[in-house]
């Protein structure tokens, strides 16, 4: 689970912007708040909702999470160079400064192993990684696993990484690729486990660099084959929201490609995916990503969760993560939304308001930080009154 995110000089973010998810001790002990396995005095939200005006930087904050993961995984996952997509704040003062990211999260990489708290930091421009470090917190004390500076400087590694500073595999780290991704590609066991887990997270997001995307049909079909339980749950969810749908099947279309067909009650011919409603298509592509996260206990990062979906469907998706029964592995869901109807279904510890500051940069605050905000008063009227901030103004 993610504890903390810090981003500096990235897209609409100018100064350091922090998303601190740690819940105060004074908050009630709700099921949706998950106790940290490494710091028992800390609880974390299983759902994180970002709200605010258009153009405030909500997507940028979510994109920062996926960018960190892509930088860490490269080049293990592919030959793409994710740092080339890192764009600093659009000002002359910031343009030549590096973009900086820091994320703290807990994870247990191997089945049966105990969870540990990790911190990953990276500073980069579009050409090279200027700094990268990976830490953990044995017995609560910060300790480096590896650290690198500018290109040409030696990479420090501790024995926790499982290799020595003289290991030749360290020479393969290029200036534009991560230590984690490089060593995973070269079969260092610990980082292979890390990148495989992070890869599940990349499959559970709809954000790819500067745009949103949907899993290709062939990827959804492959998931259905690999995880029959996901196929079963997706069909059940779609049927629950469109009772006319009897079944979803995959068939060859005669050209070597596979086609998704929806069988409806009262219709003699199945309906291909492209002929279904926008909401049904969105569920077909989105639900597999949701269940990847729930099955593997990773974060799912979804921009504009309410696009094409009824608010009650979005509410049901959030509830999947909030419930211990359906979220047994402590997966987290990070979403942006403009649907204020969701405010009656989340607690203040789950809501973060994103706005633009006077300097034009994105800033964010957790609603739990607002002094005097009583829990027995609904968030919806408080938001509409402007008490929480982040209210658009067209006047």
């Amino acid at each position: 689970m993610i504890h903390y995110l810090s981003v500096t000089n990235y897209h609409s973010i100018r100064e350091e912007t922090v998303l601190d998810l740690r819940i105060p001790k004074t908050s009630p002990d709700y099921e949706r708040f998950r106790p940290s396995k490494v710091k028992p005095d800390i609880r974390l939200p299983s759902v994180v909702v970002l709200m605010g005006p258009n153009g405030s930087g909500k997507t940028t904050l979510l994109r920062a999470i996926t960018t960190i993961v892509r930088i860490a995984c490269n080049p293990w996952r592919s030959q793409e160079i994710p740092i080339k997509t890192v764009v600093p704040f659009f000002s002359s003062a910031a343009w030549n400064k590096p973009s900086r990211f820091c994320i703290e999260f807990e994870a247990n990489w191997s089945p049966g192993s105990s969870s540990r708290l990790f911190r990953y930091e990276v500073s980069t421009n579009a050409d090279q990684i200027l700094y990268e470090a990976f830490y953990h917190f044995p017995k609560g004390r910060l300790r480096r696993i590896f650290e690198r500076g500018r290109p040409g400087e030696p990479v420090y590694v501790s024995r926790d990484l499982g290799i020595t500073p003289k290991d030749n595999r360290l020479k393969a780290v290029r200036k534009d690729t991560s230590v984690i991704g490089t060593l995973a590609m070269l079969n260092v066991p610990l980082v292979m486990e890390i990148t495989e887990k992070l890869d599940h997270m990349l499959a559970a997001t709809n954000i790819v660099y500067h745009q949103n995307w949907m899993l290709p049909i062939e990827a959804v079909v492959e998931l259905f084959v690999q995880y029959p339980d996901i196929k079963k749950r997706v069909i059940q969810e779609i049927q629950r929201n469109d009772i006319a749908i009897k079944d979803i099947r995959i068939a060859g279309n005669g050209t070597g490609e596979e086609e998704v067909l929806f069988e409806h009650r009262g219709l003699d011919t199945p309906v291909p995916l492209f002929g279904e409603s926008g909401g049904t298509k969105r569920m077909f592509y989105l639900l597999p990503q949701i269940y990847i996260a729930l099955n593997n206990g990773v974060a799912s990062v979804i921009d504009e969760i309410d696009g094409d979906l009824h608010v009650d469907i979005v509410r049901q998706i959030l509830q999947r993560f909030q419930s211990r029964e359906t979220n047994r592995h402590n997966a987290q869901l990070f979403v942006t939304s403009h649907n204020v109807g969701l405010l009656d279904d989340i607690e203040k510890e789950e809501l973060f308001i994103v706005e633009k500051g006077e300097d034009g940069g994105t800033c964010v605050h957790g609603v739990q930080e607002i002094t005097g905000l009583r829990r027995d008063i609904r968030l919806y009227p408080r938001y509409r009154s402007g008490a929480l901030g982040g209210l658009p103004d067209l006047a």
Side-chain angles (χ1 to χ4, degrees), residues 77-98:
R77 191 169 189 268
S78 72
Q79 295 305 308
E80 61 193 13
I81 308 296
I83 66 168
K84 293 187 179 299
T85 68
V86 174
V87 178
F89 187 81
F90 274 40
S91 77
S92 56
W95 191 252
N96 293 319
K97 294 181 179 179

Side-chain angles (χ1 to χ4, degrees), residues 270-317:
V271 178
L273 179 61
F274 67 80
E276 289 291 337
S277 69
T280 297
K281 287 187 285 190
R282 181 76 195 280
M283 292 178 70
F284 176 81
Y285 289 112
L286 176 63
L287 290 177
Q289 295 180 309
I290 295 298
Y291 286 122
I292 288 171
L294 291 171
N295 281 6
N296 293 283
V298 298
S300 180
V301 180
I302 305 295
D303 190 29
E304 297 180 350
I305 183 94
D306 40 21
D308 289 325
L309 294 180
H310 190 282
V311 64
D312 285 339
I313 296 177
V314 178
R315 183 176 292 116
Q316 292 166 17
I317 291 173

Side-chain angles (χ1 to χ4, degrees), residues 118-222:
F118 297 92
R119 176 187 295 170
Y120 180 61
E121 298 180 18
V122 63
S123 176
T124 182
N125 56 30
D127 298 316
Q128 59 188 14
I129 292 176
L130 305 172
Y131 177 81
E132 183 184 14
F134 194 46
Y135 302 88
H136 65 147
F137 295 79
K139 299 181 180 179
R141 304 176 72 175
L142 184 68
R143 190 161 84 185
R144 289 181 297 176
I145 297 176
F146 74 75
E147 185 176 26
R148 72 189 280 199
R150 290 180 176 273
E153 297 180 2
V155 179
Y156 165 85
V157 296
S158 73
R159 67 181 65 182
D160 301 290
L161 193 60
I163 63 175
T164 68
K166 296 182 179 180
D167 195 299
N168 284 331
R169 286 173 289 188
L170 291 171
K171 297 178 181 179
V173 179
R174 304 198 318 255
K175 68 177 184 178
D176 57 358
T177 59
S178 72
V179 172
I180 291 178
T182 302
L183 296 183
M185 187 175 64
L186 298 175
N187 302 318
V188 175
L190 173 63
V191 289
M192 287 179 68
E193 293 176 12
I194 292 170
T195 48
E196 286 173 5
K197 196 77 169 183
L198 294 178
D199 202 40
H200 287 304
M201 184 174 162
L202 291 179
T205 179
N206 70 341
I207 299 176
V208 176
Y209 299 123
H210 303 298
Q211 61 186 1
N212 293 351
W213 75 302
M214 298 184 297
L215 285 173
I217 288 181
E218 56 269 23
V220 177
V221 171
E222 185 177 335

Side-chain angles (χ1 to χ4, degrees), residues 243-287:
I243 60 174
I245 294 176
K246 294 192 300 181
D247 196 11
I248 302 173
R249 59 186 177 87
I250 314 297
N253 62 7
T255 63
E257 298 178 349
E258 293 180 300
E259 188 175 22
V260 180
L261 301 173
F262 290 73
E263 295 184 356
H264 287 252
R265 292 178 178 85
L267 299 184
D268 297 327
T269 303
V271 178
L273 179 61
F274 67 80
E276 289 291 337
S277 69
T280 297
K281 287 187 285 190
R282 181 76 195 280
M283 292 178 70
F284 176 81
Y285 289 112
L286 176 63
L287 290 177

